[in-house]
Every structure is written in C-alpha cells, then in structure tokens.
C-alpha cells in the first residue's frame, strides 16, 4: 500500500512549505520567459522554492527553484537545515556506498488519472520557454526511465525535450547511457520504450543524475540517499518502473531511424546548444495525480549542481581508492575540478588527476593542490596555481578525448565531439626544498609572548 513516506515528493514539499521555504505565487505569470526570469531573480537572492499557481492559459501549477539551496537539499536528506558542507559530504560518502532496495506496489497516486493515446495533448502542460532564442518550450525537469533491449536492465537519466506537437517531443541524447541503449534499439529498427517522470523526491532526481555504472539500480541509490525505500509501480504501456508518487508520467517511444531538427536551447554552459538532427519521441499514454504539479528546471539553476552532488561524491571516493592521501575534491566551476591531497609519493597529484578525469566526463581542467588549500575557495586555488606550478613542468594536456558535447570550446558535432583535458599539478615537490608559507603570529600568540616576556 502506498504511503506518504519521507521518500515521497509531497512529503518533501510539505516539509519545505512548513519551514517557510516555499512561496505560492498567485498572480498570473506567462510560461514563456516570465517563469524563468522570476526563477533566476529569486535564486540570485537565495530565495524560496516557487509554486506558480496561476499560469496563463494552463490549469496546472509550475514549481521551480525546489533544490537550489543546501538547506533544501538537507531537508530532502533528513539532515539539519544548517548542515555544513563538510558534514553533508561526510553523510553522502556513507550513503552513496549503500543501497536501499525499492518496493514495487500495485498502484499509486501517479495513476489517479490515465490519459489514453487518442487524448494525449502535451500542449495542456505548462512547458516553459526560457531563453530568447530557444526553439520552443522545453521540458527539462523530467528524468527518463528506459530498459536496455539486450540486458533488460533499467536506466535513469536527465534529458531535454523540445515540445513539437500534441504527442511529440524532440530529444537530445548526449552520448551517455540512454544514448548507448537507444543505439541498440535503433540498430534493430525497434522503438525504445521510455517513461518521462516529472515531480519526484530530490533523492530520486539526484540518483537519476548520478550516472551509476550501467546495470546498477539508481532507485536503490535514491533509497539510500533519503534513508527510506522508494515506492515504485509499473508503467501502463511497458514494464518500466516509475515512482508511485510521481506527479506526472509520460510514456512513449523514441522512434528508430527518425531524426528531426532540435535546438537551439540555452544550456547549463550559458550558451545556446546548436541545432542538429536528433531523435523524436512519440507520447502514447500519460498518467498523473488528480492535482498534478509540473516541475521545471531552468538550465542555469544552481539545482543542477545539487542534483549532481552524489556523482561528485562518488568521483571523490573513486580518486581516494587510487590515492589515499586525497582529502577533498570538487568542482570549483563548470568543467573545472580541484583535488587537495597530502602527497605520500611524488607524482600522487598527477595520479589523482588521472583517476578523476577517468571517473568523471565533466572535468576539462583538473587541478591538484596540497592539503593546506581549500578546494572550494577560488582565491586559494589560484594562489596555489600561480605560485606552486611551473607550467613547463606542472601541466599536461591530453588532446582529443571525449568531452561534454555542450561545451562550446569543443570540436565536432554531437557524439563526434571531442575536447582536450588539462591537468595542472600545483602541489609542492615532496623531496626538494620549497619555501615555507609565511605567517604573522596570531594576536593570541603575541599576548602569550608578552606574558612570557619574549616580546
Ligand atoms: Mn545510467
């Protein structure tokens, strides 16, 4: 039997609202530009999650800014709202190692309303248009569930969907797992069944963003993150498993051997992703709650970083397996990653960087610093690079590797896109002299010196 457990979206949203972290906007807003503009303004002020209850031309509310602060992330993980970065990291290290298996139920609230193939009308949903030159409204807050046609294993991942008609989306498949799975179906000239899930507990979204090794169950990671099993049900038109409490589930197929124009769309990089010939999705069934909430992620929302936090922690743990002296590792900026370590062997910095770029496709610049440098402080990281790295000896460029296809500095189109990696070793030599950090004694030390007659 379904219950509103700590792992459901509605229980999370209630908690957020009770804590004063959700604002209901009752004034009329436009799904075109206005929702995204208000979102970015409120986010810059570190404001609350926003539920737009009066979207012009639609009878469904739109939620944005749900997971944009560490406080609201902490609420989703059952941690104190004022949790420090260090404590959060420590908790996540424990939780990403474990799995809490999901439970499969007969039915749940996401099937309160079932819309058949003939009645499917995607234009009823308040799909948001964000940037001036976007090709149209983009569904961005949904994750995709699909099964590998050869292994039968289920995968979860985020993708952008361009609204193309009453039952049709264009989709960008970056060369990740869903792309790998779709290519198998495409080669057999078979449609790939998918479910697009909108409105889910943050832990489920975080698991979907993680890109676990193929075959590992992302719902089990989600259960571990939230500390409570995820309740699932079977989709209507396939054996795909979706959260029982999802607000909206769109079931359909990615068609084989069909390509149509998709993009431009303003991406997380801050640039428009360029147009290309990309796959098409036909939606054949929609199920939703009686009073569904549509959830949208604006491309440059800080939510994106929070959804990737489990992935970031897994990368950090992978590097530690190879180089135990690693203390912390995180992105300082999109594509820019910093590792701090206590070197035990000369060359440990480079070894750690090689592990990092092997484990995470989103790293283009990778910096290794000593453990006296705070990897989240840009000033300290730049100081280390500027003073501890001689470029002719301390940098390595690895040309022509797979890169994020949305990075405008790369070369080639779509899955043919490549970039270079730069490793910057800003660690001090282990076995050669290097000047000591200069310091001024603290006021406490000066007082002590005075008391002891040394000053
Ligand atoms: Mn995956």
């Amino acid at each position: 039997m379904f219950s509103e457990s700590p792992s459901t979206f509605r229980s999370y949203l209630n908690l957020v609202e009770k804590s004063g972290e959700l604002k209901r906007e009752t004034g009329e807003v436009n799904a075109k530009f206005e929702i995204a503009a208000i979102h970015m303004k409120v986010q810059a002020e570190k404001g609350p999650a926003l539920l737009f209850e009066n979207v012009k031309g639609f009878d469904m509310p739109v939620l944005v800014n749900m997971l944009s602060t560490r406080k609201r992330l902490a609420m989703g993980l059952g941690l104190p709202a004022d949790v420090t970065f260090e404590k959060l990291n420590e908790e996540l290290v424990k939780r990403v190692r474990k799995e809490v298996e999901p439970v499969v139920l007969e039915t749940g609230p996401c099937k309160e309303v079932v819309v058949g193939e003939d009645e499917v009308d995607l234009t009823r949903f308040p799909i948001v248009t964000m940037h001036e030159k976007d090709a149209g409204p983009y569904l961005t807050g949904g994750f995709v569930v699909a099964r590998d046609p050869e292994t039968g294993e289920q995968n979860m991942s985020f993708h952008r969907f361009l609204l193309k008609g009453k039952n049709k989306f264009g989709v960008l498949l970056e060369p990740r797992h869903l792309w790998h799975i779709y290519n198998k179906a495409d080669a057999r000239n078979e449609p790939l069944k998918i479910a697009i899930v909108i409105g889910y507990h943050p832990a489920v979204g975080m698991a979907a963003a993680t890109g676990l090794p193929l075959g590992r169950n992302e719902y089990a990671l989600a259960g571990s993150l939230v500390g409570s099993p995820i309740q699932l049900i079977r989709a209507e038109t396939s054996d795909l498993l979706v959260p029982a409490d999802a607000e909206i589930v769109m079931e359909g197929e990615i068609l084989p051997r069909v390509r149509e124009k998709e993009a431009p769309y303003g991406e997380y990089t801050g640039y428009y992703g360029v147009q290309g010939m990309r796959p098409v999705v036909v939606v054949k069934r929609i199920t939703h709650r009686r009073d569904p909430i549509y959830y949208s992620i604006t491309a440059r929302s800080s939510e994106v970083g929070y959804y990737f936090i489990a992935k970031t922690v897994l990368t950090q743990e992978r590097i530690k397996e190879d180089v135990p002296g690693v203390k912390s590792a995180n992105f300082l900026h999109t594509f820019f990653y910093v590792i701090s370590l206590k070197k035990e062997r000369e060359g440990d910095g480079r070894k750690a960087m090689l592990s990092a770029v092997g484990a995470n496709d989103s790293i283009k610049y990778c910096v290794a610093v000593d453990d006296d440098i705070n990897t989240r402080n840009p000033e300290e990281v730049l100081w280390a690079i500027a003073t501890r790295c001689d470029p002719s000896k301390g940098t390595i460029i690895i040309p022509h590797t797979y890169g994020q296809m949305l990075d405008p500095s790369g070369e080639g189109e779509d899955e043919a896109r490549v970039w270079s990696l730069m490793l910057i070793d800003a660690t001090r030599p282990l076995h050669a002299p290097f000047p000591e950090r200069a310091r001024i004694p603290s006021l406490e030390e000066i007082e002590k010196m005075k008391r002891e007659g040394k000053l």
Side-chain angles (χ1 to χ4, degrees):
M1 263 295 272
F2 175 79
S3 68
E4 287 290 357
S5 76
S7 69
T8 65
F9 174 68
R10 290 287 171 117
S11 72
Y12 171 74
L13 208 59
N14 284 338
L15 178 66
V16 168
E17 184 162 28
K18 276 195 199 123
S19 315
E21 289 283 319
L22 176 80
K23 188 170 172 230
R24 291 173 184 268
E25 297 277 3
T26 51
E28 188 182 79
V29 291
N30 210 307
K32 189 169 181 176
F33 304 146
E34 199 173 7
I35 286 178
I38 297 171
H39 178 191
M40 288 297 101
K41 181 169 178 283
V42 169
Q43 186 174 286
E45 296 157 355
K46 302 248 179 266
L50 299 169
L51 188 65
F52 294 100
E53 295 184 322
N54 185 2
V55 184
K56 192 180 173 189
F58 299 96
D59 57 6
M60 206 177 287
V62 175
L63 175 70
V64 297
N65 211 33
M66 175 173 86
L67 198 65
S68 302
T69 62
R70 192 193 302 153
K71 191 173 181 181
R72 293 200 285 279
L73 173 70
M75 288 178 184
L77 299 173
L79 295 170
D82 61 351
V83 68
T84 62
F85 176 86
E86 288 72 21
K87 182 72 194 157
L88 172 65
N89 189 66
E90 196 185 308
E91 264 306 311
L92 285 169
V93 166
K94 285 184 213 157
R95 296 185 193 188
V96 295
R97 290 204 177 105
K98 292 185 199 137
E99 294 188 342
V100 173
E101 289 300 322
V103 290
V104 181
L105 309 178
E106 282 302 312
T107 190
C110 95
K111 289 200 181 178
E112 284 170 355
V113 177
V114 179
V115 182
E117 189 169 356
D118 296 338
E119 283 80 48
V120 165
D121 183 2
L122 298 171
T123 65
R124 274 184 50 234
F125 293 84
I127 304 177
V128 172
T129 303
M130 299 167 204
H131 315 88
E132 290 169 325
K133 295 184 177 173
D134 284 357
Y138 266 91
L139 186 156
T140 54
F143 67 81
V144 176
V145 183
R147 259 183 218 285
D148 186 315
E150 282 172 9
T151 65
E153 282 159 348
Q154 191 166 292
N155 185 68
M156 288 157 71
S157 50
F158 278 96
H159 303 271
R160 70 186 195 202
F161 292 89
L162 168 62
L163 180 67
K164 286 195 153 208
K166 281 194 158 188
N167 65 348
K168 190 164 122 180
F169 286 121
V171 63
L172 173 71
L173 301 180
E174 291 173 78
R176 301 188 260 116
H177 289 161
L178 184 62
W179 171 82
H180 172 82
I181 290 169
Y182 168 70
N183 285 345
K184 292 182 183 180
D186 194 41
R188 298 173 177 195
N189 200 18
E190 285 170 8
L192 181 72
K193 293 199 169 190
I194 63 165
I196 305 168
V197 179
I198 301 154
Y200 38 79
H201 188 279
V204 177
M206 287 162 68
T210 294
L212 285 176
L214 268 176
R216 273 193 61 194
N217 186 352
E218 280 111 352
Y219 286 124
L221 170 62
S224 177
L225 290 174
V226 65
S228 167
I230 308 300
Q231 302 172 80
L232 303 174
I233 53 172
R234 283 185 199 285
E236 293 272 303
T237 59
S238 67
D239 61 352
L240 295 170
L241 293 166
V242 296
D245 68 312
E247 295 293 314
I248 303 159
V249 177
M250 298 175 173
E251 301 181 23
E253 297 173 346
I254 311 182
L255 302 179
R257 301 182 188 177
V258 176
R259 300 291 185 276
E260 290 183 9
K261 281 181 186 165
E262 188 271 341
Y265 172 68
E267 268 293 350
Y268 68 96
T269 56
Y271 300 91
Y272 288 104
V274 296
Q275 195 175 73
M277 298 300 285
R278 310 217 168 103
V280 167
V281 176
V282 173
V283 176
K284 300 203 155 176
R285 188 78 53 96
I286 299 174
T287 69
H288 60 78
R289 292 185 86 124
R290 225 167 274 124
D291 54 348
I293 296 170
Y294 180 84
Y295 173 55
S296 179
I297 300 178
T298 309
R300 301 213 75 200
S301 170
S302 52
E303 281 168 292
V304 177
Y306 286 119
Y307 278 116
F308 278 104
I309 201 163
K311 170 78 176 173
T312 303
V313 168
L314 279 165
T315 303
Q316 172 189 276
E317 294 311 291
R318 261 283 297 281
I319 306 168
K320 281 186 191 167
E321 284 173 19
D322 294 342
V323 182
V326 166
K327 190 176 131 196
S328 68
N330 53 264
F331 282 94
L332 194 60
H333 191 279
T334 312
F335 307 147
F336 195 105
Y337 193 75
V338 186
I339 304 164
S340 78
L341 72 158
K342 184 164 173 45
K343 286 207 286 192
E344 294 171 317
R345 304 166 301 186
E346 192 48 66
D348 266 355
R350 292 170 189 226
K351 183 102 173 82
M353 289 191 282
L354 288 168
S355 300
V357 298
N360 196 313
D361 284 338
S362 297
I363 303 171
K364 179 164 64 167
Y365 292 96
C366 192
V367 184
V369 295
D370 299 300
D371 65 349
D372 63 325
I373 301 294
N374 177 352
T375 53
R376 294 190 303 123
N377 182 332
E379 285 291 331
E380 287 191 36
V381 172
L382 287 171
W383 178 64
I385 295 172
T387 60
R388 297 182 187 179
C389 175
D390 175 349
S392 74
K393 290 180 287 187
T395 63
I396 302 162
I397 291 176
I398 305 172
H400 206 79
T401 64
Y402 164 69
Q404 289 298 317
M405 60 170 282
L406 293 167
D407 173 30
S409 78
E411 272 179 55
E413 289 196 0
D414 287 18
E415 59 264 36
R417 199 158 179 88
V418 292
W419 66 7
S420 307
L421 303 175
M422 187 174 202
L423 313 185
I424 302 170
D425 188 353
T427 59
R428 292 167 297 196
L430 200 53
H431 303 295
F434 196 89
E436 203 179 325
R437 278 182 81 145
R439 70 182 285 267
I440 295 170
S442 69
L443 291 173
E444 289 74 26
E445 287 167 316
I446 291 168
E447 281 309 311
K448 189 163 176 271
M449 284 182 214
K450 283 182 185 169
R451 282 198 305 275
E452 292 169 354
K454 289 175 184 163
L455 189 76

